[in-house]
Amino acid sequence: MRQLKRSGLLLVGLVLLLSCAALAATIKAPVLTYQGGSGSYTLTLDKGADKLYGLQLALEVDGALEAGSVSFTSNLANTYVAPCRVEVANGKTTVTLYMAPNGQSYIGSAGNALQLGTLNLGNPEAVLPSTGKLTLLDRDAKVAYDNTVNIGRGSSGGGSSNNGTQHGITTGTYQGGSVSLSTNQAKAGERVTLTLHPEEGYQIATLRVLDKNGKEIALEEQNGSYVFTMPEGEVRVEATFQAVEEQPPAASGTPFEDVPEDFWAKDAIAWAYERGYVNGTGLTTFTPNGNITREQMWMILARLSGQSPVDMAAAREWAMSNGVSDGSDPTMDMPRQQMVTILYRYTQLRGYEINGSVELNGFVDGGSVADYAQEGMSWAVGNGIIGGMTADTLAPSGTATRAQFATILQRFYTGIVKE
């Protein structure tokens, strides 16, 4: 059995496929606050995004804590919480907690603020640190934030003075892109982060933040986002996006203008396209960052087996008649654990050799893999067909993009099919 290596902490540089980089971060300035004391703290995250796949938070606490006394209890429904990792060294204790969805594709619900749960450090004298290392995975289980986060005491409610008044921040509907906020309301003097999201083929043209009198507020660029200081009164954000005129040349071997020569998965996409396994989404588009759907996977595997379904209905019939899939939810984005299960069933169908499975307990969310997917996931990880989303996480409920699946398909063909 192949040894499955793991690291002590989550390494964001390792993602789903080979050494390909994660998509650009989409969460720039999450805010973490707490209530409580005497070793017990309720944590709230203002994440600046609607939904998250998972969260990992590492805290360095002064003093030596006992592993058995440290615990985290989630306040969110349908959430998998791994046991806290407790590591003591040089008079300090690093406590790491991890959350992932259980029975759904994200943790929490729509909205920016989530009351995560209560961290009990097991010692009334243990004090929460002022900073922590926070890693967030977005709803597609891609790394969206990986950096230090400040931890401050949250408001306990009740009356407030004028200096504590929250003022609203509004954005508009923009052609060619959107703007997200770290928070939609803030007190005067607080810092607010704007993150720009141009649509494919667009780029930012202008960005302004105006106070209640129409006066422009100074912006500071920080790591691709923009930060301003909240004034007294409400604020509005104005932005325009413009079309990008020049497109990069298409990758050799394909007609796809959205797969440039320097795209990380261009070779795998060209391989899959040239063999007729994967088509484009248009005459000149592949949509590499779009998610692979269940019916697309049925079609691809049917072609891999030498069949040529005339349409998606025929591909569905092939998948059902061969026991590869039950044929449900054809347009649903394919979760990773379903994807490897279908590949595993296809391997059995074709009579290919099955070996090399590994244990999944080296991943902090290994316990969240569905029962039906345990064999397929163990086999896929052990044979290098799929990797951890990071060094410590499998993200079984996360989805795979079309570019990622082209790479997975090439690996599967090379390592398993071998024809």
Side-chain angles (χ1 to χ4, degrees), residues 31 44-52 109-114 181-184:
V31 177
T44 298
L45 175 70
D46 190 337
K47 61 190 183 306
D50 280 347
K51 296 176 181 178
L52 293 176
S109 58
N112 287 347
L114 294 176
L181 307 169
S182 59
T183 179
N184 58 13

Side-chain angles (χ1 to χ4, degrees), residues 262-384:
D262 60 353
F263 189 68
W264 65 268
K266 75 174 182 65
D267 290 340
I269 292 171
W271 174 89
Y273 173 74
E274 290 170 352
R275 285 162 176 75
Y277 300 143
V278 182
N279 292 333
T281 55
L283 292 177
T284 60
T285 58
F286 186 79
T287 316
N289 294 325
N291 286 335
I292 192 80
T293 64
R294 286 168 58 82
E295 64 181 6
Q296 288 171 359
M297 187 170 178
W298 301 335
M299 177 65 78
I300 292 167
L301 291 183
R303 291 169 178 161
L304 189 65
S305 68
Q307 303 300 309
S308 300
V310 296
D311 54 25
M312 289 299 185
R316 176 176 179 270
E317 178 61 30
W318 173 87
M320 293 173 64
S321 63
N322 284 279
V324 171
S325 173
D326 62 5
S328 62
D329 301 318
T331 60
M332 185 182 79
D333 293 342
M334 177 68 75
R336 284 159 55 86
Q337 60 186 358
Q338 286 188 22
M339 179 180 62
V340 297
T341 298
I342 289 177
L343 285 175
Y344 187 64
R345 290 173 182 166
Y346 180 84
T347 300
Q348 294 173 310
L349 168 69
R350 302 292 292 178
Y352 298 134
E353 185 178 0
I354 295 177
N355 54 31
S357 298
V358 297
E359 297 294 331
L360 301 179
N361 55 13
F363 297 94
V364 294
D365 58 350
S368 67
V369 177
D371 290 343
Y372 76 85
Q374 287 281 340
E375 286 187 13
M377 186 68 79
S378 298
W379 164 82
V381 172
N383 284 277

Side-chain angles (χ1 to χ4, degrees), residues 2 100 180 207 279 290 362 415:
R2 188 175 305 174
S180 62
L207 177 65
N279 292 333

Side-chain angles (χ1 to χ4, degrees), residues 172-193:
T173 300
Y174 314 112
Q175 182 178 359
S178 61
V179 179
S180 62
L181 307 169
S182 59
T183 179
N184 58 13
Q185 58 181 358
K187 301 174 185 178
E190 290 184 339
R191 302 281 280 171
V192 178
T193 299

